[in-house]
Amino acid sequence: MTNTDHKTHYGLFINGKWTKASGDKFTEIKSPATGNVLAQVSNGSKKDVEQAVNAANAAFSAWSRKTAEERADVLYAFKALLERDADRLARIISSEMGKPLKEAKVEVGFAAGLLRFAAENTRRLEGDIVPGSRPGEKILLEKIPHGVVGGISAWNFPLALFTRKVAPALAAGNTIVIKPHELAPLAALEATQLAEEAGIPAGVLNVVTGDGKDVGTPLVEHPGVKLITMTGSTATGKKIMAAAANTLKEVRLELGGKAPFIVMEDADLEKAAEAAVLARFTNAGQVCTSNERTYVHSAIYDKFSVLVRKKIDSLKVGNPLDPSTDMGPKVSLLELEKVHAMVEKAISQGAKLETGGQRLKGGVYDQGFFYAPTLLTDVREDMDIVKDEVFGPVMLLTKVSDYDDALRQANDCRYGLSAYVFTNDLKRIMRISSDLHFGEVYVNREGGEAPQGFHHGYKDSGLGGEDGKYGLEAYVQTKTIYLNA
Ligand code: NAD
């Protein structure tokens, strides 16, 4: 396999070369909007993982000994190429997983921002010197890389999740073997070619495509991999944690969410409604930080319902490559059917369907997995849809009596990733740190992490956290040196 035929057939990227998978089998990648075949991607296997880990291991010594500036320069070059090819990459993201082009452009910008942050921080992986216990002794606490990192990512941000793992891993001096999601691996594969162009040395970045069973599990179980960083569902995260136990490797898990979105009676209602709709329908609701439960104070509930309904009805659903599209298809038929079943169950349990609640039909809709933007009102805390992650374009409105009621219902949840609060009352805002049990809280704004923040879920939402200086810490370990002359 060479670079020349990559547009239709993608190989694996191991030790700086595009190679055939050992089984020489491919999977078709299809657009969820049109059903068109976009490319054929190699099905990797345990044998390929073995080769990739060996290559990453062999490259580690030279890469980790490079100066911080040298590692930064390569990451800056990679970022510049991502920006040079931003439009092309955005089209690939839209085509392979269905998010509207305008959102895909934002994703490319975020991916570049993650590379910038990592490059800026190669020189800031600082340790400590503490007083020794013997005369003249100094104790050095040094931050050093782990070695080979294994990355496993989800399909909903195929480029950003790729750089979210590659950038800090390489910045800290590790090498990496990464597995993109089998549904949407193309943006990561194209970015890998840019990484090659940027001068990332052979073996430092290796990409093995394939599914969880054939590639993910062998990567997690491999004794040569020292840290697994995974983004995906909670169920898979738990399996990965169990599989990593045998080799006692570190795991960082960024998992599902069920974000509450609290709107109090003193909030700027127009701003809150705008943000609530954005936080729910962006990427067709397929974001870990999506507004999964909207809690609205009883005094403004009716007014707020009308406001969001108007905005939902004006969303333009269609081909994601059309620049005017607000919402594309669901990523797969399976995902669409899962969402529809959840909506039907909620209705059977007493929720009121205001709009949507069905698969869209006719014209372009017949070619893809389009689900109507949906609004359910009269949603109660005992309904199943309030407990499980919907991950689709379905807004749930629940009436709350006061702030305490909102906090209680928001916290009554097995997930703990993101939360939103709209209020102008400083006293309420001050209670967030102690009373709202989520790792990331957006106050008076819609979602969207910053590369210098810390994206971290509590409870079933994960372990470890990513981004910013705290996220970078995952990619180093501490060595203690008792220094005596
Ligand atoms: P998924 O769990 O189906 O897949 C995630 C990755 O794990 C894929 O690459 C898959 O091939 C791999 N995998 C599957 N089984 C495996 C196994 N046994 N061993 C090793 N690897 C295995 O998740 P998904 O459908 O791609 O993603 C959607 C989920 O991801 C949602 O729950 C969403 O909330 C979550 N997510 C979380 C974040 C975050 O930062 N917290 C970000 C994006 C998505």
Side-chain angles (χ1 to χ4, degrees):
M1 180 92 12
T2 66
N3 252 352
T4 50
D5 53 356
H6 80 269
K7 293 294 168 193
T8 51
H9 286 69
Y10 287 83
L12 310 176
F13 189 66
I14 298 177
N15 205 18
K17 292 196 177 62
W18 292 92
T19 55
K20 277 188 178 176
S22 57
D24 201 13
K25 291 224 165 62
F26 293 88
T27 292
E28 277 185 347
I29 305 300
K30 289 185 181 173
S31 154
T34 61
N36 291 342
V37 176
L38 303 170
Q40 310 275 344
V41 169
S42 296
N43 293 347
S45 66
K46 187 172 177 179
K47 206 166 155 194
D48 300 311
V49 169
E50 184 73 37
Q51 281 186 5
V53 174
N54 288 345
N57 212 6
F60 173 66
S61 172
W63 179 249
S64 60
R65 282 177 169 74
K66 285 206 181 293
T67 64
E69 288 91 337
E70 285 170 331
R71 290 200 302 274
D73 285 347
V74 173
L75 292 169
Y76 278 125
F78 186 13
K79 168 193 163 279
L81 293 174
L82 229 61
E83 286 168 336
R84 181 195 72 189
D85 288 4
D87 287 346
R88 186 175 67 82
L89 290 166
R91 291 186 75 81
I92 293 168
I93 294 169
S94 282
S95 304
E96 67 176 332
M97 56 69 61
K99 77 175 48 157
L101 204 49
K102 51 191 171 193
E103 289 178 23
K105 286 182 181 165
V106 174
E107 177 173 347
V108 180
F110 183 59
L114 292 165
L115 281 164
R116 179 196 283 122
F117 183 88
E120 284 168 354
N121 283 278
T122 55
R123 285 194 291 198
R124 296 193 181 89
L125 291 160
E126 297 161 354
D128 285 308
I129 304 176
V130 297
S133 302
R134 297 183 173 193
E137 184 177 64
K138 294 184 194 319
I139 303 175
L140 312 188
L141 300 165
E142 196 187 353
K143 300 291 175 187
I144 59 166
H146 291 275
V148 179
V149 171
I152 297 175
S153 63
W155 48 263
N156 61 339
F157 287 87
L159 184 65
L161 296 179
F162 177 77
T163 56
R164 199 175 226 173
K165 298 183 185 312
V166 170
L170 269 48
N174 303 281
T175 56
I176 189 166
V177 177
I178 184 160
K179 184 193 101 54
H181 197 283
E182 54 274 30
L183 281 178
L186 302 182
L189 287 163
E190 286 291 329
T192 301
Q193 299 207 23
L194 299 180
E196 203 183 352
E197 194 181 333
I200 291 182
V204 171
L205 164 66
N206 306 274
V207 182
V208 182
T209 46
D211 67 15
K213 178 173 58 67
D214 292 338
V215 178
T217 303
L219 192 58
V220 175
E221 290 178 346
H222 199 296
V225 175
K226 302 300 176 202
L227 161 75
I228 286 288
T229 166
M230 176 270 192
T231 300
S233 63
T234 300
T236 304
K238 287 180 179 177
K239 280 189 207 155
I240 286 177
M241 197 166 169
N246 256 342
T247 46
L248 273 185
K249 56 175 57 87
E250 297 219 16
V251 288
R252 291 290 183 281
L253 304 170
E254 306 309 321
L255 309 177
K258 189 75 188 166
F261 192 112
I262 298 171
V263 187
M264 297 312 294
E265 76 286 8
D266 63 338
D268 177 334
L269 279 200
E270 179 53 42
K271 205 170 140 195
E274 182 72 32
V277 170
L278 258 178
R280 175 68 284 189
F281 296 95
T282 294
N283 204 6
Q286 304 166 128
V287 187
C288 56
T289 57
S290 280
N291 160 19
E292 286 263 334
R293 305 173 279 152
T294 315
Y295 295 109
V296 187
H297 191 278
S298 54
I300 47 136
Y301 181 87
D302 292 339
K303 198 168 166 198
F304 189 79
S305 319
V306 173
L307 277 178
V308 289
R309 168 78 194 267
K310 225 190 212 163
K311 291 181 192 299
I312 293 168
D313 285 341
S314 72
L315 290 173
K316 189 177 165 220
V317 184
N319 189 318
L321 290 173
D322 177 342
S324 68
T325 291
D326 297 312
M327 200 182 98
K330 286 283 298 166
V331 74
S332 66
L333 182 60
L334 203 70
E335 272 289 313
L336 183 146
E337 286 171 343
K338 178 205 81 183
V339 169
H340 187 55
M342 291 178 92
V343 169
E344 290 207 308
K345 186 151 193 204
I347 295 168
S348 77
Q349 291 176 334
K352 187 168 167 227
L353 178 67
E354 301 283 351
T355 185
Q358 59 184 329
R359 184 174 181 172
L360 290 168
K361 298 230 169 69
V364 289
Y365 296 143
D366 289 343
Q367 295 160 17
F369 311 123
F370 294 92
Y371 198 74
T374 298
L375 176 64
L376 293 174
T377 55
D378 293 349
V379 174
R380 294 185 323 268
E381 56 187 307
D382 58 311
M383 293 177 183
D384 292 301
I385 201 160
V386 174
K387 297 176 186 135
D388 302 321
E389 188 182 38
V390 179
F391 222 54
V394 181
M395 183 181 269
L396 315 179
L397 290 196
T398 300
K399 202 181 278 186
V400 292
S401 53
D402 55 23
Y403 196 50
D404 284 311
D405 187 23
L407 289 178
R408 184 189 58 74
Q409 294 200 44
N411 286 331
D412 185 13
C413 178
R414 65 191 172 97
Y415 293 103
L417 182 56
S418 311
Y420 302 79
V421 178
F422 268 77
T423 177
N424 284 320
D425 182 340
L426 187 59
K427 278 192 189 146
R428 285 173 177 156
I429 293 173
M430 296 293 283
R431 288 178 54 191
I432 285 170
S433 311
S434 55
D435 294 355
L436 200 51
H437 303 146
F438 293 82
E440 179 175 284
V441 183
Y442 296 96
V443 182
N444 294 325
R445 58 159 283 188
E446 77 286 359
E449 306 99 84
Q452 69 274 29
F454 185 50
H455 183 56
H456 179 205
Y458 302 160
K459 303 193 264 184
D460 262 10
S461 288
L463 201 63
E466 286 186 301
D467 305 341
K469 67 173 181 177
Y470 299 116
L472 196 52
E473 281 174 4
Y475 293 88
V476 288
Q477 53 188 336
T478 307
K479 179 174 270 187
T480 309
I481 304 162
Y482 293 88
L483 197 63
N484 290 270

